[in-house]
PDB file of all heavy atoms in Angstrom:
ATOM      1  N   PHE I 899      19.419 -35.811  11.010  1.00 72.00           N
ATOM      2  CA  PHE I 899      18.785 -34.621  10.343  1.00 72.00           C
ATOM      3  C   PHE I 899      17.450 -34.332  10.802  1.00 72.00           C
ATOM      4  O   PHE I 899      16.518 -34.743  10.192  1.00 72.00           O
ATOM      5  CB  PHE I 899      18.703 -34.916   8.806  1.00 72.00           C
ATOM      6  CG  PHE I 899      20.031 -35.083   8.136  1.00 72.00           C
ATOM      7  CD1 PHE I 899      20.117 -36.061   7.092  1.00 72.00           C
ATOM      8  CD2 PHE I 899      21.109 -34.480   8.595  1.00 72.00           C
ATOM      9  CE1 PHE I 899      21.443 -36.173   6.529  1.00 72.00           C
ATOM     10  CE2 PHE I 899      22.392 -34.551   7.836  1.00 72.00           C
ATOM     11  CZ  PHE I 899      22.525 -35.460   6.969  1.00 72.00           C
ATOM     12  N   ALA I 900      17.422 -33.781  12.022  1.00 63.00           N
ATOM     13  CA  ALA I 900      16.112 -33.462  12.610  1.00 63.00           C
ATOM     14  C   ALA I 900      15.529 -32.077  12.087  1.00 63.00           C
ATOM     15  O   ALA I 900      14.413 -31.907  12.172  1.00 63.00           O
ATOM     16  CB  ALA I 900      16.249 -33.295  14.099  1.00 63.00           C
ATOM     17  N   ALA I 901      16.420 -31.303  11.493  1.00 52.00           N
ATOM     18  CA  ALA I 901      16.046 -30.009  11.036  1.00 52.00           C
ATOM     19  C   ALA I 901      15.268 -30.240   9.724  1.00 52.00           C
ATOM     20  O   ALA I 901      15.248 -31.084   8.972  1.00 52.00           O
ATOM     21  CB  ALA I 901      17.225 -29.126  10.584  1.00 52.00           C
ATOM     22  N   SER I 902      14.281 -29.197   9.588  1.00 44.00           N
ATOM     23  CA  SER I 902      13.221 -29.317   8.545  1.00 44.00           C
ATOM     24  C   SER I 902      14.018 -29.412   7.122  1.00 44.00           C
ATOM     25  O   SER I 902      13.427 -30.036   6.262  1.00 44.00           O
ATOM     26  CB  SER I 902      12.256 -28.249   8.587  1.00 44.00           C
ATOM     27  OG  SER I 902      12.856 -26.844   8.438  1.00 44.00           O
ATOM     28  N   SER I 903      14.928 -28.670   6.901  1.00 50.00           N
ATOM     29  CA  SER I 903      15.641 -28.429   5.657  1.00 50.00           C
ATOM     30  C   SER I 903      16.065 -29.863   5.213  1.00 50.00           C
ATOM     31  O   SER I 903      16.132 -30.335   4.072  1.00 50.00           O
ATOM     32  CB  SER I 903      16.735 -27.504   5.629  1.00 50.00           C
ATOM     33  OG  SER I 903      17.672 -27.772   6.673  1.00 50.00           O
ATOM     34  N   CYS I 904      16.751 -30.630   6.360  1.00 50.00           N
ATOM     35  CA  CYS I 904      17.247 -31.947   5.952  1.00 50.00           C
ATOM     36  C   CYS I 904      16.169 -32.966   5.771  1.00 50.00           C
ATOM     37  O   CYS I 904      16.300 -33.788   4.904  1.00 50.00           O
ATOM     38  CB  CYS I 904      18.085 -32.399   7.120  1.00 50.00           C
ATOM     39  SG  CYS I 904      19.577 -31.354   7.284  1.00 50.00           S
ATOM     40  N   ASN I 905      14.935 -32.841   6.474  1.00 54.00           N
ATOM     41  CA  ASN I 905      13.908 -33.692   6.280  1.00 54.00           C
ATOM     42  C   ASN I 905      13.433 -33.524   4.738  1.00 54.00           C
ATOM     43  O   ASN I 905      13.024 -34.410   4.076  1.00 54.00           O
ATOM     44  CB  ASN I 905      12.700 -33.413   7.196  1.00 54.00           C
ATOM     45  CG  ASN I 905      13.117 -33.835   8.607  1.00 54.00           C
ATOM     46  OD1 ASN I 905      13.914 -34.864   8.785  1.00 54.00           O
ATOM     47  ND2 ASN I 905      12.511 -33.370   9.642  1.00 54.00           N
ATOM     48  N   GLN I 906      13.364 -32.192   4.377  1.00 56.00           N
ATOM     49  CA  GLN I 906      12.996 -31.932   2.865  1.00 56.00           C
ATOM     50  C   GLN I 906      13.872 -32.580   1.964  1.00 56.00           C
ATOM     51  O   GLN I 906      13.456 -33.187   0.900  1.00 56.00           O
ATOM     52  CB  GLN I 906      12.849 -30.442   2.650  1.00 56.00           C
ATOM     53  CG  GLN I 906      11.692 -29.788   3.346  1.00 56.00           C
ATOM     54  CD  GLN I 906      11.810 -28.226   3.244  1.00 56.00           C
ATOM     55  OE1 GLN I 906      12.689 -27.746   2.483  1.00 56.00           O
ATOM     56  NE2 GLN I 906      10.959 -27.592   3.915  1.00 56.00           N
ATOM     57  N   ALA I 907      15.231 -32.668   2.202  1.00 66.00           N
ATOM     58  CA  ALA I 907      16.306 -33.235   1.472  1.00 66.00           C
ATOM     59  C   ALA I 907      15.916 -34.690   1.319  1.00 66.00           C
ATOM     60  O   ALA I 907      16.143 -35.388   0.215  1.00 66.00           O
ATOM     61  CB  ALA I 907      17.539 -32.937   1.896  1.00 66.00           C
ATOM     62  N   LEU I 908      15.514 -35.408   2.329  1.00 75.00           N
ATOM     63  CA  LEU I 908      15.340 -36.834   2.336  1.00 75.00           C
ATOM     64  C   LEU I 908      14.016 -37.077   1.610  1.00 75.00           C
ATOM     65  O   LEU I 908      13.833 -38.159   1.049  1.00 75.00           O
ATOM     66  CB  LEU I 908      15.184 -37.335   3.797  1.00 75.00           C
ATOM     67  CG  LEU I 908      16.460 -37.380   4.499  1.00 75.00           C
ATOM     68  CD1 LEU I 908      16.240 -37.808   5.988  1.00 75.00           C
ATOM     69  CD2 LEU I 908      17.421 -38.334   3.904  1.00 75.00           C
ATOM     70  N   SER I 909      12.934 -36.187   1.583  1.00 78.00           N
ATOM     71  CA  SER I 909      11.754 -36.363   0.829  1.00 78.00           C
ATOM     72  C   SER I 909      11.826 -36.066  -0.648  1.00 78.00           C
ATOM     73  O   SER I 909      11.022 -36.403  -1.472  1.00 78.00           O
ATOM     74  CB  SER I 909      10.557 -35.620   1.551  1.00 78.00           C
ATOM     75  OG  SER I 909      10.887 -34.170   1.416  1.00 78.00           O
ATOM     76  N   LEU I 910      12.933 -35.186  -0.843  1.00 88.00           N
ATOM     77  CA  LEU I 910      13.099 -34.724  -2.368  1.00 88.00           C
ATOM     78  C   LEU I 910      14.500 -35.005  -2.754  1.00 88.00           C
ATOM     79  O   LEU I 910      15.332 -34.168  -2.743  1.00 88.00           O
ATOM     80  CB  LEU I 910      12.793 -33.306  -2.442  1.00 88.00           C
ATOM     81  CG  LEU I 910      12.566 -32.733  -3.898  1.00 88.00           C
ATOM     82  CD1 LEU I 910      11.409 -33.457  -4.527  1.00 88.00           C
ATOM     83  CD2 LEU I 910      12.335 -31.218  -3.956  1.00 88.00           C
ATOM     84  N   PRO I 911      14.847 -36.224  -3.177  1.00 93.00           N
ATOM     85  CA  PRO I 911      16.221 -36.536  -3.674  1.00 93.00           C
ATOM     86  C   PRO I 911      16.659 -35.773  -4.886  1.00 93.00           C
ATOM     87  O   PRO I 911      15.785 -35.170  -5.620  1.00 93.00           O
ATOM     88  CB  PRO I 911      16.165 -38.078  -3.831  1.00 93.00           C
ATOM     89  CG  PRO I 911      14.714 -38.310  -4.222  1.00 93.00           C
ATOM     90  CD  PRO I 911      13.919 -37.290  -3.351  1.00 93.00           C
ATOM     91  N   LEU I 912      17.951 -35.701  -5.086  1.00 94.00           N
ATOM     92  CA  LEU I 912      18.496 -35.036  -6.307  1.00 94.00           C
ATOM     93  C   LEU I 912      17.810 -35.475  -7.613  1.00 94.00           C
ATOM     94  O   LEU I 912      17.583 -34.626  -8.437  1.00 94.00           O
ATOM     95  CB  LEU I 912      19.967 -35.300  -6.323  1.00 94.00           C
ATOM     96  CG  LEU I 912      20.880 -34.755  -5.337  1.00 94.00           C
ATOM     97  CD1 LEU I 912      22.335 -35.167  -5.502  1.00 94.00           C
ATOM     98  CD2 LEU I 912      20.981 -33.144  -5.523  1.00 94.00           C
ATOM     99  N   HIS I 913      17.602 -36.715  -7.766  1.00 94.00           N
ATOM    100  CA  HIS I 913      17.048 -37.247  -8.906  1.00 94.00           C
ATOM    101  C   HIS I 913      15.638 -36.746  -9.248  1.00 94.00           C
ATOM    102  O   HIS I 913      15.180 -36.805 -10.363  1.00 94.00           O
ATOM    103  CB  HIS I 913      16.948 -38.819  -8.818  1.00 94.00           C
ATOM    104  CG  HIS I 913      16.568 -39.444 -10.060  1.00 94.00           C
ATOM    105  ND1 HIS I 913      17.177 -39.238 -11.341  1.00 94.00           N
ATOM    106  CD2 HIS I 913      15.594 -40.446 -10.370  1.00 94.00           C
ATOM    107  CE1 HIS I 913      16.695 -40.108 -12.214  1.00 94.00           C
ATOM    108  NE2 HIS I 913      15.702 -40.726 -11.779  1.00 94.00           N
ATOM    109  N   TRP I 914      15.019 -36.234  -8.238  1.00 95.00           N
ATOM    110  CA  TRP I 914      13.591 -35.660  -8.460  1.00 95.00           C
ATOM    111  C   TRP I 914      13.593 -34.184  -8.522  1.00 95.00           C
ATOM    112  O   TRP I 914      12.450 -33.575  -8.716  1.00 95.00           O
ATOM    113  CB  TRP I 914      12.800 -36.054  -7.188  1.00 95.00           C
ATOM    114  CG  TRP I 914      12.507 -37.535  -7.017  1.00 95.00           C
ATOM    115  CD1 TRP I 914      13.102 -38.635  -7.622  1.00 95.00           C
ATOM    116  CD2 TRP I 914      11.643 -38.170  -6.040  1.00 95.00           C
ATOM    117  NE1 TRP I 914      12.683 -39.796  -7.124  1.00 95.00           N
ATOM    118  CE2 TRP I 914      11.780 -39.578  -6.203  1.00 95.00           C
ATOM    119  CE3 TRP I 914      10.804 -37.680  -5.110  1.00 95.00           C
ATOM    120  CZ2 TRP I 914      11.107 -40.353  -5.343  1.00 95.00           C
ATOM    121  CZ3 TRP I 914      10.012 -38.536  -4.364  1.00 95.00           C
ATOM    122  CH2 TRP I 914      10.153 -39.899  -4.425  1.00 95.00           C
ATOM    123  N   THR I 915      14.699 -33.532  -8.454  1.00 93.00           N
ATOM    124  CA  THR I 915      14.711 -32.101  -8.304  1.00 93.00           C
ATOM    125  C   THR I 915      14.877 -31.461  -9.738  1.00 93.00           C
ATOM    126  O   THR I 915      15.456 -32.016 -10.600  1.00 93.00           O
ATOM    127  CB  THR I 915      15.783 -31.598  -7.410  1.00 93.00           C
ATOM    128  OG1 THR I 915      17.019 -32.043  -7.855  1.00 93.00           O
ATOM    129  CG2 THR I 915      15.624 -32.030  -6.096  1.00 93.00           C
ATOM    130  N   ALA I 916      14.349 -30.239  -9.820  1.00 92.00           N
ATOM    131  CA  ALA I 916      14.520 -29.457 -11.122  1.00 92.00           C
ATOM    132  C   ALA I 916      16.017 -28.908 -11.034  1.00 92.00           C
ATOM    133  O   ALA I 916      16.339 -28.039 -10.193  1.00 92.00           O
ATOM    134  CB  ALA I 916      13.558 -28.267 -11.051  1.00 92.00           C
ATOM    135  N   GLU I 917      16.813 -29.408 -11.936  1.00 90.00           N
ATOM    136  CA  GLU I 917      18.166 -29.228 -11.913  1.00 90.00           C
ATOM    137  C   GLU I 917      18.616 -27.797 -11.844  1.00 90.00           C
ATOM    138  O   GLU I 917      19.345 -27.341 -10.962  1.00 90.00           O
ATOM    139  CB  GLU I 917      18.919 -29.804 -13.287  1.00 90.00           C
ATOM    140  CG  GLU I 917      20.391 -29.677 -13.368  1.00 90.00           C
ATOM    141  CD  GLU I 917      20.787 -30.159 -14.588  1.00 90.00           C
ATOM    142  OE1 GLU I 917      20.124 -30.913 -15.331  1.00 90.00           O
ATOM    143  OE2 GLU I 917      22.065 -29.830 -14.961  1.00 90.00           O
TER     144      GLU I 917
END
Side-chain angles (χ1 to χ4, degrees):
F899 298 144
S902 59
S903 61
C904 294
N905 288 337
Q906 288 174 9
L908 290 176
S909 64
L910 193 62
L912 287 173
H913 187 51
W914 299 7
T915 58
E917 178 184 346

